[in-house]
Amino acid sequence: MTQDTTQKGRNSMAAVVGLMGLFLLFWAPYIAMQALNTPLHRLVEVFQVQDPEGVWDTPVGILTATYYVWVGLFVFAGAALVMIANDVRLGKSWARPLSLMLLSIPSIGGLTMTIPWMVLVMTDALGNKNPDAGAPPAIPIMVVGLIAYFIVLLTEKADRNTKIAQIVVFTALGLVGGFVWMNAQHGVRYFMSPEVYLRAVPTASNPELFYGGFVNYAAVMLFVPAIGLLAARKESGWYLAMIGAILTFVAALLSYIDRVGVNPAAAIEWLRGAMLSAVLLVILVIPFFKNHVLGTVKAQSAKKAPVKPAHA
């Protein structure tokens, strides 16, 4: 980012950053627990009853652990946002990219908490819709996070093409991060379901499931710093995003190949994940998006500017 903003814009960003920090510290953790409680009950009281042969104990532990991971990230991000709000107001060059990176955490985390509600609460093990489901409680985390995310992103004074490139790239990074995390939940579930001694059997295809599970969890964490570095117009952010896109594409594709013969209906989620990562990969390599996000378009134009003759 050029960090070229008005004082009014910096004041607005600082207010958004500070308020978002308080939201993450005092409200988001309780919303997250509400979003977790009902899916856990559904797994035990509905899915286990309707499909006794299914593996429903493993998802209980996975969802519980990962929701608490996001709660921990929320409060750390909230404390950091409160701390740097004044630095954003003062226009310090590092503060805005850092705030954007921190704001990506509730945006991605809120999405990862919304999908289980849609899968486990809005339907049952037989695919029937639940009329009493209601809206996912985690939507406010995702929506509030996204609003703050885009306010900070778009307050910068930039031309239309740069803003278009920023919207596309930064939206794609968050969307892929959230979707990949949810596919990782399934990968860990399938990986953990067999007996321990079976995980090393070559015919069990466990490398793919480990790849699509635990490795995907780690890959999502590449997108968060990539957002901050790209916001600072650092080429290292582009490399991190590319690594994450390549890794998650291959992981999802291999996991799809592994699961399509076992459960074709469920395997389609892996194919969708692979397609999303592939789209992100294509976006990142297109010069229009890469150059405008990194700011090299302006730099190239400046090099081509005619040199004014010196006055005698």
Side-chain angles (χ1 to χ4, degrees):
M1 291 184 174
T2 63
Q3 312 303 329
D4 185 10
T5 55
T6 64
Q7 185 58 54
K8 182 179 179 181
R10 290 194 294 273
N11 291 341
S12 299
M13 285 191 297
V16 169
V17 167
L19 289 173
M20 191 64 198
L22 295 174
F23 172 79
L24 291 176
L25 283 168
F26 291 104
W27 193 6
Y30 295 96
I31 298 176
M33 290 301 97
Q34 182 185 0
L36 172 63
N37 182 270
T38 303
L40 293 185
H41 279 278
R42 293 278 296 179
L43 279 168
V44 175
E45 298 168 2
V46 177
F47 282 70
Q48 182 68 54
V49 173
Q50 292 181 339
D51 183 15
E53 301 300 319
V55 181
W56 307 114
D57 53 341
T58 306
V60 170
I62 294 169
L63 285 178
T64 302
T66 54
Y67 271 56
Y68 274 105
V69 167
W70 282 110
V71 167
L73 291 173
F74 288 165
V75 295
F76 273 97
L81 287 168
V82 170
M83 185 65 189
I84 68 172
N86 189 54
D87 297 303
V88 172
R89 183 184 65 83
L90 295 174
K92 293 184 179 180
S93 60
W94 55 266
R96 191 166 176 231
L98 178 58
S99 65
L100 192 62
M101 182 188 80
L102 294 169
L103 290 171
S104 72
I105 291 174
S107 303
I108 296 174
L111 176 59
T112 68
M113 294 178 176
T114 298
I115 297 175
W117 186 278
M118 297 172 66
V119 173
L120 300 174
V121 180
M122 290 186 170
T123 60
D124 59 23
L126 304 178
N128 302 314
K129 292 184 178 180
N130 176 16
D132 302 321
I139 284 182
I141 298 176
M142 179 179 65
V143 171
V144 173
L146 284 172
I147 291 173
Y149 183 73
F150 283 109
I151 287 175
V152 173
L153 176 66
L154 300 177
T155 301
E156 175 191 57
K157 293 196 296 184
D159 61 86
R160 184 182 65 177
N161 286 341
T162 297
K163 287 189 179 293
I164 290 173
Q166 288 176 335
I167 291 172
V168 172
V169 171
F170 285 89
T171 300
L173 286 168
L175 180 62
V176 172
F179 200 90
V180 166
W181 186 274
M182 285 316 305
N183 273 344
Q185 306 274 48
H186 296 298
V188 172
R189 171 193 173 191
Y190 292 132
F191 179 76
M192 298 296 291
S193 58
E195 297 294 336
V196 174
Y197 69 90
L198 292 177
R199 294 178 196 153
V201 177
T203 55
S205 297
N206 286 310
E208 285 85 350
L209 297 181
F210 177 76
Y211 202 5
F214 291 104
V215 174
N216 257 352
Y217 278 149
V220 173
M221 292 299 104
L222 293 177
F223 293 126
V224 174
I227 287 171
L229 290 168
L230 281 173
R233 299 193 184 278
K234 301 292 186 181
E235 194 173 17
S236 56
W238 181 81
Y239 277 94
L240 269 184
M242 285 289 292
I243 292 170
I246 293 170
L247 180 57
T248 56
F249 167 73
V250 175
L253 182 62
L254 290 178
S255 299
Y256 169 74
I257 294 171
D258 178 272
R259 301 306 300 173
V260 70
V262 180
N263 189 341
I268 197 67
E269 296 300 325
W270 293 106
L271 183 59
R272 290 171 181 158
M275 292 171 64
L276 278 174
S277 293
V279 170
L280 173 61
L281 190 62
V282 171
I283 289 171
L284 290 171
V285 299
I286 293 176
F288 173 85
F289 295 111
K290 178 184 177 182
N291 294 338
H292 278 88
V293 168
L294 291 178
T296 55
V297 171
K298 181 179 290 186
Q300 290 170 357
S301 299
K303 290 178 182 179
K304 295 178 181 179
V307 178
K308 295 182 179 180
H311 294 287

